[in-house]
Amino acid sequence: MISLFFLGILIFVLLWDFYFRKHWHKHLDVSLDFVQDYVYAGEQAHMTERIENRKRMMLPILEVAFHIRRELVFSDFENTSVSDYTYKRDIFALMGRQRVIRTLTLDCTKRGYYRIDQSQLTTFSLLHRRRFCAERPADTELYVYAKRADVSKILVACQRIIGDVQCARRLCEDPFAYASIREYTITDPMKAINWKASAKTGNLMVNTFDSTLMEKVMVYVDIEDKGILKYEYLVEESISVAASLCSRLLRQGMEVGIRVNAEEEEGKQPQGYIKPAGGRQQIAEIERMLARRKAEEAAAAFSSILTEPEEDAVLIVISKNAAENQEAIEKLCGKDRQGIWVVPFPRGEECMAKESDHVCIIGREVERT
């Protein structure tokens, strides 16, 4: 009798293992989603982890694991390990037709593009005799934009150059760039007369317009760091300055473009170039392009992207490599136009860029990290 009892248990366990192996992963949904589309470096992001068991069979133990780049740090270190990636493993006990939703908090320590494309599921048979694994696709991404930098000094220099050019090109007026009203002169066209203002003052008054031919800015960013001693923090500072500067200029209504000396793949569209344009969409495109640039990735020579200056644009160059790029930057700006060169350098050292007549050099001390 006892032998039949144990035989029955053995048969039940074997049948259950067979049934469990065939059905445990069915009607089991796992989704991972970042709550935000983007955050800035140093801020926190949130991610929802949603597990739903839509069948009657319970899952006493279900491990959900995934990994992401180590620069995202989970605030809750439980079930988390860090090596080349950050590995997260959560354990659930799911009843039949049960849904569990958790919210995870992450500290975004570094600019970058972060993506999770799959998760791994693990469970065990009765009495933990066998282990079963499966994968679920995931499709969630997070942009960590470069941290904000103080660019007020650069903006002042940029506005001064734009103002000088507008005065020099006042003949090329933009009918959509209204400036002010003044008294009529015999050289003014009839279409410029402001009849309402003329009726109020009793004298003929005309509208004046600014020239917006040069209200366009092109930013060149150098991410090359090829020396024996690496200065990744200077590259990060260059990218932070570029992102903050582009955002501020675009919010002021200017057209802004950017070019980075990223290594391009042959036969493909340049990934380090965005042509000048305005609007909120341009801000997002520039921020995302800069977020994707990795400080450790191969970079083309900075001089290779300084050969064709953008027409009718104020040129702003951000490069820490003063000795190698001085000549190319001066040639880019030329003698008939002014440009701005921002030079990040380590605190306690001197800015190595030499003074130039047609290039405004702005040194920027950066704390060593």
Side-chain angles (χ1 to χ4, degrees):
M1 192 69 179
I2 296 177
S3 60
L4 290 177
F5 175 75
F6 284 108
L7 179 61
I9 292 177
L10 178 61
I11 293 173
F12 173 78
V13 170
L14 293 175
L15 290 175
W16 174 254
D17 284 357
F18 178 79
Y19 180 82
F20 190 81
R21 179 170 60 87
K22 291 289 186 180
H23 298 278
W24 75 270
H25 57 282
K26 294 182 179 179
H27 306 294
L28 178 63
D29 297 331
V30 176
S31 64
L32 305 170
D33 295 289
F34 287 109
V35 176
Q36 302 97 328
D37 293 328
Y38 68 89
V39 295
Y40 292 94
E43 296 180 349
Q44 286 188 331
H46 298 88
M47 185 176 70
T48 59
E49 187 177 19
R50 178 176 176 273
I51 297 92
E52 184 176 6
N53 182 22
R54 294 186 289 107
K55 57 183 178 294
R56 292 183 178 179
M57 184 176 69
M58 67 177 297
L59 297 173
I61 297 178
L62 178 67
E63 295 181 0
V64 180
F66 61 92
H67 68 275
I68 197 167
R69 286 173 50 190
R70 60 184 298 171
E71 290 83 7
L72 287 188
V73 180
F74 289 94
S75 298
D76 181 7
F77 287 98
E78 186 178 0
N79 298 324
T80 303
S81 61
V82 180
S83 55
D84 51 342
Y85 288 90
T86 296
Y87 296 89
K88 181 70 172 175
R89 186 190 67 172
D90 289 326
I91 302 175
F92 302 88
L94 295 176
M95 301 297 292
R97 303 190 185 281
Q98 183 182 8
R99 177 191 302 163
V100 177
I101 300 177
R102 289 183 180 177
T103 300
L104 307 175
T105 302
L106 304 100
D107 297 318
C108 306
T109 62
K110 190 175 181 180
R111 169 193 59 84
Y113 170 69
Y114 302 87
R115 180 177 177 81
I116 301 175
D117 53 18
Q118 72 173 14
S119 59
Q120 294 79 38
L121 309 181
T122 304
T123 190
F124 299 89
S125 65
L126 195 64
L127 305 178
H128 281 232
R129 294 179 62 254
R130 298 187 64 183
R131 176 180 179 180
F132 305 110
C133 299
E135 293 184 351
R136 288 290 186 273
D139 185 16
T140 185
E141 60 184 17
L142 174 70
Y143 284 92
V144 178
Y145 292 165
K147 65 179 181 181
R148 301 295 84 180
D150 181 11
V151 294
S152 55
K153 188 175 180 180
I154 306 171
L155 286 173
V156 170
C158 184
Q159 294 286 1
R160 185 176 66 249
I161 293 175
I162 291 175
D164 291 344
V165 175
Q166 284 181 332
C167 292
R169 299 201 177 187
R170 185 66 66 183
L171 293 176
C172 302
E173 294 181 337
D174 187 336
F176 298 102
Y178 174 80
S180 62
I181 299 175
R182 61 171 174 79
E183 290 189 3
Y184 174 82
T185 65
I186 58 173
T187 59
D188 292 320
M190 291 290 291
K191 65 179 181 180
I193 296 176
N194 187 322
W195 296 106
K196 289 185 178 180
S198 299
K200 289 182 179 180
T201 61
N203 297 317
L204 286 177
M205 306 295 290
V206 295
N207 296 322
T208 62
F209 302 91
D210 278 332
S211 167
T212 58
L213 288 176
M214 288 296 291
E215 289 190 357
K216 181 166 64 173
V217 178
M218 191 67 191
V219 181
Y220 297 84
V221 188
D222 183 11
I223 61 171
E224 189 176 17
D225 194 19
K226 63 180 181 180
I228 297 176
L229 295 177
K230 298 299 180 181
Y231 295 91
E232 183 179 340
Y233 64 97
L234 294 183
V235 175
E236 288 298 324
E237 180 70 12
S238 299
I239 293 175
S240 293
V241 170
S244 301
L245 185 61
C246 290
S247 179
R248 291 283 298 274
L249 291 172
L250 283 163
R251 294 182 190 280
Q252 292 178 10
M254 299 184 188
E255 293 186 353
V256 180
I258 191 168
R259 190 160 189 180
V260 180
N261 57 328
E263 196 72 55
E264 307 293 355
E265 295 185 29
E266 187 176 354
K268 292 190 176 182
Q269 286 290 103
Q271 298 180 359
Y273 171 71
I274 298 176
K275 65 180 182 179
R280 292 183 176 272
Q281 183 61 32
Q282 185 76 347
I283 297 177
E285 288 188 18
I286 290 175
E287 291 274 21
R288 291 187 175 194
M289 187 267 281
L290 291 175
R292 285 179 174 271
R293 301 273 74 81
K294 297 180 181 179
E296 67 272 12
E297 71 182 359
F302 190 51
S303 57
S304 65
I305 67 171
L306 302 179
T307 55
E308 299 180 2
E310 192 74 28
E311 186 178 358
D312 295 329
V314 172
L315 305 181
I316 300 179
V317 178
I318 305 173
S319 174
K320 69 178 181 63
N321 300 308
E324 299 92 332
N325 297 323
Q326 176 103 32
E327 184 178 349
I329 293 171
E330 291 184 352
K331 187 176 180 180
L332 172 75
C333 297
K335 295 182 179 180
D336 57 342
R337 65 196 300 181
Q338 284 187 310
I340 300 172
W341 181 10
V342 182
V343 188
F345 62 93
R347 184 172 296 278
E349 298 186 11
E350 294 184 1
C351 178
M352 301 303 294
K354 300 177 182 178
E355 293 295 330
S356 175
D357 294 333
H358 55 278
V359 178
C360 174
I361 298 176
I362 301 177
R364 192 176 183 89
E365 278 190 306
V366 183
E367 290 288 350
R368 299 171 185 267
T369 56

